[in-house]
Amino acid sequence: MSRLIVPTKRPRHSRPSRTPFLASVLASALALVVALTPVVTMAESGEGMAEVRLNAVEVAVADRSTAARNAALREGLEQILVRITGQRSPGSVPGAEALLSQPGTWVEQFSYSTRGDNLRLHARFDLRGISEQLASAGAPVWGRSRPTVLVWVAADRGDILSRESSTSLAGSLQRQAAFRGLPLRLPEMDAEDRSRISAADVRGRFDRQIQNASQRYDAPLVVSAVYYSSGRPSMRWRLLQDGNSLRDGQLDASSEADLGDALVDAVADYLAELYAVRGGDASALVLRVEGLERLQAWHEVQQFVARQSGVRGVTLQRLAGSAAEMRLDFTGDPAQLERLLRLHQHLGVCRDAPRELPEAQTVTQTLRLCWQSA
């Protein structure tokens, strides 16, 4: 396999530095300058998110000529735009055509490989630069905070699909999830899983058993689906969070592979509605986080907030005991920011009424969350 490293055409952006959790920080009024998030991989699985490469694609290419390479790079960039915008056909979103007209501008590295007689192009794109261009044009940007989705699929007359299943349905689920940038996981179906759940539990919609079996995977979202193999392939599915149904539907397709694609698309479309932040003018918000007893917790909050799509800038305003108050500029609405931040396993709704901090006179909206240790 030959490889060519393409020099970056724009200066790389530095990550925001860590801010010590000390009173001196407040006295110095240190601003955390935050650009749009680099959307290369997901956060650690400990945050309920899995690693998914969003910036790398592999496409067929006719030959090694410049014309063939440019055509393949455009196809690859279209895949990247699907992942970033959450749209199945992103060519019509604001700013997309300008990007697609010069796909080579956004390539960081590419190489070739062969599979038999087939030539393949591997390309890695500048996700940060692409995200910035889309956001500045007012397009939706779905950043790196993407919840892991655990999928329990049981056939009407068969077992639950596992990570090792070799069926076309299992293969299409994993392949389409990679295409859409969706962190999707099939269960192990080992002795531990089988002691907690059966195909009959999935078919019967026994949510307590499904939730119990899902706990080991640290997945915020769970899909429960039943696949019908007789006649035209079809599927009934539900998207669950903490045992509650968020979305459900019925799917029909011409093949098992198409059915898997359709399920992933349905879930990804819904999550993009929730988490993709449309670019535009940013509004000032106050974020209050309570329960930050340790320096490490503050560091995690700071970094997690900073890398959310739509967050333009963050400034630490006040520290009061274990509570921190930050002012940030966000292009979405507060409810959308809350959904994004609650993807972190330790950030959630406060159990008790939090102690009030002084209101910031220049900010009209406030979001309050609490750090919840395990």
Side-chain angles (χ1 to χ4, degrees):
M1 180 174 70
S2 61
R3 172 170 293 186
L4 174 63
I5 306 297
V6 179
T8 304
K9 294 179 172 56
R10 292 162 304 283
R12 303 303 296 169
H13 304 274
S14 59
R15 293 179 181 272
S17 59
R18 293 189 173 188
T19 305
F21 189 52
L22 300 170
S24 60
V25 177
L26 181 58
S28 63
L30 177 65
L32 308 177
V33 179
V34 181
L36 278 177
T37 302
V39 235
V40 177
T41 60
M42 300 301 97
E44 293 80 3
S45 59
E47 294 176 0
M49 290 168 277
E51 292 188 359
V52 173
R53 289 188 62 84
L54 297 180
N55 65 336
V57 295
E58 176 187 340
V59 295
V61 60
D63 52 53
R64 296 174 186 257
S65 68
T66 300
R69 183 175 70 241
N70 287 338
L73 288 176
R74 180 183 173 97
E75 180 182 348
L77 182 53
E78 288 175 345
Q79 292 186 27
I80 297 295
L81 293 180
V82 169
R83 296 172 187 172
I84 297 178
T85 65
Q87 307 297 309
R88 297 191 207 182
S89 302
S92 60
V93 304
E97 189 51 45
L99 292 166
L100 291 170
S101 65
Q102 295 181 310
T105 303
W106 307 100
V107 176
E108 293 182 327
Q109 178 179 325
F110 67 86
S111 60
Y112 295 97
S113 67
T114 55
R115 294 181 183 176
D117 296 330
N118 299 318
L119 185 63
R120 310 288 293 181
L121 177 70
H122 306 259
R124 190 178 69 200
F125 287 85
D126 176 10
L127 267 291
R128 173 172 288 180
I130 295 169
S131 297
E132 288 176 344
Q133 290 295 313
L134 289 170
S136 64
V141 175
W142 189 5
R144 68 187 294 178
S145 295
R146 302 188 179 199
T148 300
V149 180
L150 178 65
V151 180
W152 302 97
V153 179
D156 55 347
R157 294 188 298 272
D159 206 352
I160 297 173
L161 291 182
S162 74
R163 186 172 64 89
E164 302 299 329
S165 296
S166 58
T167 65
S168 59
L169 177 57
S172 67
L173 286 171
Q174 295 171 329
R175 182 175 58 254
Q176 188 68 4
F179 180 82
R180 294 295 303 266
L182 182 67
L184 181 145
R185 185 170 185 180
L186 291 171
E188 300 292 332
M189 289 314 297
D190 54 11
E192 182 175 351
D193 280 343
R194 294 185 183 281
S195 70
R196 296 184 177 186
I197 193 170
S198 67
D201 294 325
V202 177
R203 289 192 290 264
R205 297 192 173 195
F206 296 122
D207 291 344
R208 180 174 297 179
Q209 283 78 2
I210 294 172
Q211 187 173 3
N212 180 53
S214 301
Q215 289 178 354
R216 67 180 291 203
Y217 293 101
D218 192 28
L221 300 176
V222 174
V223 169
S224 171
V226 181
Y227 161 59
Y228 300 93
S229 56
S230 58
R232 182 180 175 84
S234 62
M235 178 183 290
R236 289 187 298 110
W237 66 277
R238 296 179 300 149
L239 179 65
L240 308 173
Q241 182 179 40
D242 297 327
N244 300 312
S245 180
L246 301 178
R247 184 64 62 94
D248 58 47
Q250 171 102 22
L251 299 171
D252 297 282
S254 59
S255 67
E256 286 188 12
D258 289 343
L259 197 61
D261 291 350
L263 177 60
V264 170
D265 282 338
V267 174
D269 290 348
Y270 174 67
L271 296 183
E273 292 176 11
L274 295 180
Y275 298 116
V277 180
R278 188 168 294 277
D281 295 334
S283 299
L285 300 171
V286 163
L287 171 64
R288 294 172 178 169
V289 181
E290 299 221 353
L292 299 172
E293 303 288 350
R294 296 164 50 216
L295 176 64
Q296 180 182 359
W298 162 242
H299 283 165
E300 284 194 36
V301 169
Q302 172 198 329
Q303 294 174 352
F304 192 69
V305 172
R307 66 176 182 245
Q308 300 310 310
S309 293
V311 173
R312 297 288 178 81
V314 181
T315 305
L316 177 63
Q317 292 195 144
R318 296 174 179 84
L319 297 175
S322 63
E325 182 179 276
M326 292 165 277
R327 174 195 166 109
L328 56 91
D329 297 319
F330 184 63
T331 60
D333 61 75
Q336 191 172 35
L337 180 62
E338 180 175 353
R339 285 195 294 267
L340 287 166
L341 296 182
R342 288 179 63 185
L343 289 174
H344 193 294
Q345 66 169 348
H346 292 307
L347 288 176
V349 176
C350 298
R351 297 187 180 94
D352 302 316
R355 176 167 43 83
E356 289 292 333
L357 293 174
E359 291 290 343
Q361 299 300 318
T362 58
V363 180
T364 59
Q365 301 190 72
T366 301
L367 172 63
R368 180 179 291 114
L369 297 173
C370 280
W371 180 267
Q372 299 169 352
S373 300

